[in-house]
Every structure is written in structure tokens, then in C-alpha cells.
Amino acid sequence: MSVGAGAEATGFLYPFIDGQEKGTESLLTDLASSARSKVQESSALQCSTLVDCAEMLANAGAEMAARFASGGRMYAFGNGGSSTDAATFAALFAQPITGRPLPALNLAADQAVLTALGNDVGFELVFSRQIIAHSHSRDIAVAMSTSGSSADLMTALGEASRRGLLTIGFAGYDGGQMAGATEVDYCFVVGSQSIHRIQESQALLGYELWATVQRHLAADQHLGTDQHRAADKAAPMSQGPGGTA
Amino acid sequence: MPTALEGELEQLVGESGPVAGIPPDMLDGGLADDLAGASLAIARRFHAGATMWCVAPRWEPHAHHMAVEFVHPVIMGKRALPAFALCGPDVVAQTRVSVRPGDIVIAVADAGDRAVRDLMRRTPAWGALSVWIGSGARPPGGAADHVLWIEDPDPLAPATGRFVIMYHLLWELTHVCFEHSGLLSAPAAECTDEVCITCSDEGRLAEVILAPTSAFGTALVRTEAGEEHIDVTVVGPVSPGDLVLIHAGAALTRLDDEVVR
């Protein structure tokens, strides 16, 4: 990038305090302008990603809501920064500021389980072994990745799919192995080459998925109340209608 | 033709709120300059041997993400830097025991987070650079050396990528600074507050480590310069953890809880 070529030159020409201050000022200006252009890039990528994924978000959200409604829970997992994004995603479901809390777990949260599996059976199996131990067919598995090809995630998605779980993958670049895998029911691909920008768009995809699930559950609740009310028309409830959050 | 109920469902499910993501003008209003200033300060601290301590009590994954960003860079060939996430029920105690003079403490939290407010106000006594990322109502002026704030009241901002991009940018810009080795040595007295406490008559912040063991004894305190013994007769009895302002070897006044520097 072009940042600082000028600053270096200035620092060389004015090696004393004035020169250093001038170089600092010019560096700070370049840093601020670089930050602004990265934000604009990320914002545009978030918008185009949501447009590209709109239909998949609606369908995946509906299926997730149905599974939560029937008692299913969600397992989210990833590696490195993506593992923390998976944890944020799970926390959004389990401890939301608004809406219904839903059972969601981050499979990288337990250091005992993670190190036991990593040491005893190999890192490739750290998530799939947990899927085997914990899951039921009504559950949901969500893998977050930027490459879309991490072996531990692909193994876990394969295991989850064989067990009847709904499988969702988040990937970047061209989607990697996740994009073409039959074991992945919904694969959200953020078409970028930058790991940072990919993760920022994945965060918003996750948020939209959560919001879609919440809207479905609120709507189901609303309809349920209406049907109940219609059936009870002859004997109306003594209390007013309950709010639907 | 859809029934009334189906129509209602369609309306409820199709009703999506305003797009919650990263606004293109997110850095307007000074945030771009704040990020630039924080990145240079962080780069200078790392250059001088700092460790970065990351906390996010309400959204702990953000603390982990910040730490892994610096420890294991996503771009091959970039320097691995010392950074740790601190979690658990008492982030103040965790940070106090870990941090050394010259280090960096970075938090992701609301302005109302009591633990983080307490943590930030203690950092000058530990000699640590403080950086506070958050959204919603701003913390009071001077609550940290660098306040990187998104003034949007949406309580779900932490889950929409807006915080992630803030620390991604901090990492990216910090590494840009490393390419300018001539600018990495901070001026001799780095003045981050309005008044430089080392070159004026102002009191320095100190945190009590050990109270005096006798009526005329001194207290052991911690300041940005390290540990020292001071006279506390003016302020009266002190306990470990108390914050006092000291000058010329004596505590002049005690800072009450919630008095932000």
C-alpha cells in the first residue's frame, strides 16, 4: 500500500524532532484514510453479501426456527478468529438482548474437551467427536470458516449430516470444499479474498440468520395465540391478549 | 389466495428491520483519527516490549478474537505479538496481577460496564496504555487514553461486525506503523493526557498494594514508574486497591469509587 512512502522520505530529510513530528502527522493522516476506505469496502461487501444470500437466509432461518421449535439445539464451531465469531453467534442465540433465548453452544468453549480430543484422537476430530457425543437429529450444526476447507470443520459437518442435523457452513473466497459438499445444507459464501473483510460480513450474516429465526418464532407464537383465541371465541380469555415481544 | 393468517405470517416473517451492519460513514466524526492515534500508540508500546491484555466481560469472544489477531496474524510473515485474553469473574484482579508498566489494556464494553470503568481508571497507576472500544452512550471524557466509540444505540451492535472491524483495523494499522521504524520511538515524555503528569506539579495516580503496618509507617503503592513507599498521613487509613494521588512521596488525596480520572 502507498501508506507512508512520503512519511519515510520526510523522516529521512528531517531527522530531528520537527521531522519526526511531521512524519507522525503524515502517517496518522494516511492511517485514518486507510481506515475509512477499509470501512467503505467492508460496508459494501456486507450489503452485496446480504443481497446475494437473501433467499438462503430466509430458507435456512425458517428451517432453524422449526428445529428450535421442536426442541433442537445449535452447535457452532470454527478455528482461530472464526471460533470466536462462532462463539459470538452462539451467544447471540443463547443470551439475546431481545427476543427468545435459544439453546446454542460453542464447541470450542471447553478447554478440557478440546485438549483431550486434540491430544487423544487428533485435531481433525475435535468437533466431530463432540457432535457424536451430544447431537440429536433435530439439532443444527454451524461451521464458521474463511477458507471453507478446514479438515476439522468438514469432518464435523459430515458427521452432523449423517446424523440428520441441519448443516450450515460459512466460508469466504470461492467457498472452498464447503461450497460443493453435499453434507452442507446451506453454505454462505462471502466473495472476498481478505480474511478480515470475510469475517466482518459473516458476522452480519449470522446476525441476519438470528433475526430471521426470531421473526419466525415470534410469528409462530402470534399465530398460535390467534388460533387459540379463535377456538375460544365463545368463551373469551379473561385477560387481554399477551404481547408477542 | 393466501388466508388472512398466512398473510399475517408473511408480513411478520418478511418484515426485516433496518440493515444493522457497518455503515459506510462509520468512521466519520473523528473515529478514523482516533483509530489512527490508537494504532500508533499501540505500535509504539509493542515496539518497546509491551504485552496486550484484552477484556470484554459481556462479549468474551471479542477478547479472544483480539488476542488471536495479534498472536497469530492472518497475513503470513507479519510479526506475532504478545496478547492475552483475560476472562472470568474479576477482570480487574486478573489484569492487575498480569499487567506490567508499559503494557496495553484493551477493552470491548459498554460505557456502563462497572468492571471495565474500574479497570480503565486504574490503568495509569499500572503504567498501562488504555484503549476502550464500545457503542451507545460514550464514557466520560478521559475515561481511557484512546476511546474508540460507535455512537449508535443499537444494543446488538457487538454482533453485527462493527466491533470486529474496529479491532481488525487496529491490527492492520498497527502493522502499517511497524513499517515506519523511525516513528516507533515515542517522544521522551509521552503525554497522553491534557496535562503531562510527569513534567508538571500534578499528582500521580497510585494504587495501594499494602497498607502501613504501624501508625507512622508508609504504604507500598504502585505507580506507572513501579512500586514505591509513600506517606499516607494526610489521607488517613488506606486499604489495598485504594487509588490515591501522590506528590513528592506523599498521598495528597484519595479517589472515591466512580470518580473517573
Side-chain angles (χ1 to χ4, degrees):
Chain A
M1 79 174 49
S2 68
V3 169
E8 288 283 50
T10 313
F12 174 72
L13 288 171
Y14 303 93
F16 302 109
I17 289 174
D18 280 355
Q20 210 214 18
E21 278 175 2
K22 201 159 188 180
T24 301
E25 210 171 284
S26 138
L27 173 62
L28 289 173
T29 306
D30 287 347
L31 293 177
S33 110
S34 165
R36 272 190 291 268
S37 70
K38 283 165 194 281
V39 162
Q40 280 154 14
E41 184 194 333
S42 190
S43 179
L45 182 63
Q46 281 196 333
C47 289
S48 64
T49 303
L50 282 196
V51 170
D52 293 348
C53 296
E55 195 184 336
M56 246 199 323
L57 277 170
N59 295 339
E63 281 199 53
M64 288 171 77
R67 283 172 178 257
F68 280 121
S70 66
R73 60 187 177 201
M74 182 174 82
Y75 311 99
F77 45 96
N79 297 306
S82 298
S83 103
T84 72
D85 294 344
T88 300
F89 181 66
L92 186 59
F93 279 77
Q95 297 143 43
I97 290 165
T98 61
R100 257 177 75 176
L102 297 165
L105 298 137
N106 156 32
L107 293 189
D110 191 319
Q111 66 266 52
V113 172
L114 211 59
T115 54
L117 291 171
N119 183 52
D120 294 346
V121 296
F123 203 82
E124 199 177 317
L125 301 177
V126 291
F127 298 127
S128 65
R129 283 293 177 108
Q130 293 187 71
I131 294 287
I132 292 169
H134 302 308
S135 72
H136 294 271
S137 60
R138 60 176 183 261
D139 293 343
I140 304 157
V142 180
M144 296 191 104
S145 171
T146 52
S147 70
S149 300
S150 306
D152 55 344
L153 306 188
M154 292 311 296
T155 309
L157 286 170
E159 190 61 53
S161 178
R162 277 191 293 283
R163 289 167 181 268
L165 279 74
L166 178 69
T167 53
I168 297 174
F170 286 71
Y173 303 97
D174 61 355
Q177 288 178 27
M178 271 186 199
T182 51
E183 303 98 311
V184 185
D185 297 322
Y186 294 97
C187 180
F188 294 97
V189 181
V190 178
S192 165
Q193 305 295 311
S194 157
I195 290 177
H196 287 160
R197 304 294 90 83
I198 292 166
Q199 289 177 340
E200 289 148 19
S201 278
Q202 288 181 340
L204 188 62
L205 279 172
Y207 173 87
E208 288 295 327
L209 211 45
W210 169 80
T212 307
V213 169
Q214 288 292 336
R215 282 197 294 274
H216 274 283
L217 294 175
D220 292 349
Q221 165 78 9
H222 190 75
L223 291 184
T225 311
D226 272 4
Q227 280 160 351
H228 187 68
R229 225 183 283 152
D232 282 354
K233 223 167 192 170
M237 285 179 286
S238 55
Q239 298 292 318
T244 55
Chain B
M1 198 180 146
T3 65
L5 276 183
E6 278 164 4
E8 198 170 350
L9 175 63
E10 180 65 28
Q11 206 184 347
L12 279 164
V13 172
E15 171 197 305
S16 45
V19 174
I22 297 166
D25 58 357
M26 189 180 94
L27 300 189
D28 288 1
L31 184 50
D33 294 329
D34 295 344
L35 269 167
S39 302
L40 181 58
I42 288 171
R44 285 176 168 171
R45 290 273 174 147
F46 274 130
H47 182 68
T51 293
M52 176 185 266
W53 304 96
C54 312
V55 304
R58 171 64 181 84
W59 298 92
E60 283 185 352
H62 285 311
H64 290 291
H65 198 150
M66 287 191 285
V68 77
E69 206 66 49
F70 284 89
V71 169
H72 183 56
V74 294
I75 298 173
M76 292 263 282
K78 295 289 181 192
R79 259 175 81 186
L81 292 163
F84 283 97
L86 294 174
C87 300
D90 190 344
V91 289
V92 173
Q94 285 258 72
T95 312
R96 175 189 288 128
V97 72
S98 307
V99 71
R100 295 189 189 123
D103 282 355
I104 303 155
V105 173
I106 185 166
V108 170
D110 292 341
D113 188 311
R114 294 183 71 88
V116 169
R117 287 168 74 118
D118 192 30
L119 179 69
M120 290 287 139
R121 66 198 281 265
R122 288 170 192 278
T123 52
W126 303 336
L129 179 82
S130 54
V131 183
W132 191 350
I133 296 173
S135 68
R138 276 185 94 90
D145 294 322
H146 297 273
V147 173
L148 306 175
W149 219 256
I150 302 169
E151 292 184 44
D152 182 319
D154 181 0
L156 289 164
T160 59
R162 278 183 271 184
F163 285 3
V164 178
I165 194 170
M166 291 269 265
Y167 49 75
H168 278 165
L169 288 174
L170 271 185
W171 180 86
E172 291 175 31
L173 300 183
T174 295
H175 279 271
V176 171
C177 293
F178 287 142
E179 292 161 19
H180 301 266
S181 52
L183 302 176
L184 287 178
S185 300
E190 187 183 348
C191 302
T192 48
D193 291 312
E194 276 185 23
V195 177
C196 178
I197 50 174
T198 47
C199 43
S200 77
D201 288 336
E202 285 230 345
R204 289 179 295 138
L205 189 68
E207 185 184 55
V208 176
I209 300 170
L210 294 171
T213 49
S214 69
F216 300 104
T218 55
L220 180 65
V221 300
R222 180 171 177 178
T223 72
E224 64 174 345
E227 295 182 4
E228 56 191 283
H229 286 275
I230 58 154
D231 181 278
V232 291
T233 45
V234 173
V235 296
V238 293
S239 309
D242 285 357
L243 290 177
V244 292
L245 285 178
I246 64 169
H247 182 72
L252 299 181
T253 181
R254 179 198 303 273
L255 293 196
D256 295 329
D257 289 348
E258 283 300 313
V259 175
V260 180
R261 57 188 168 127

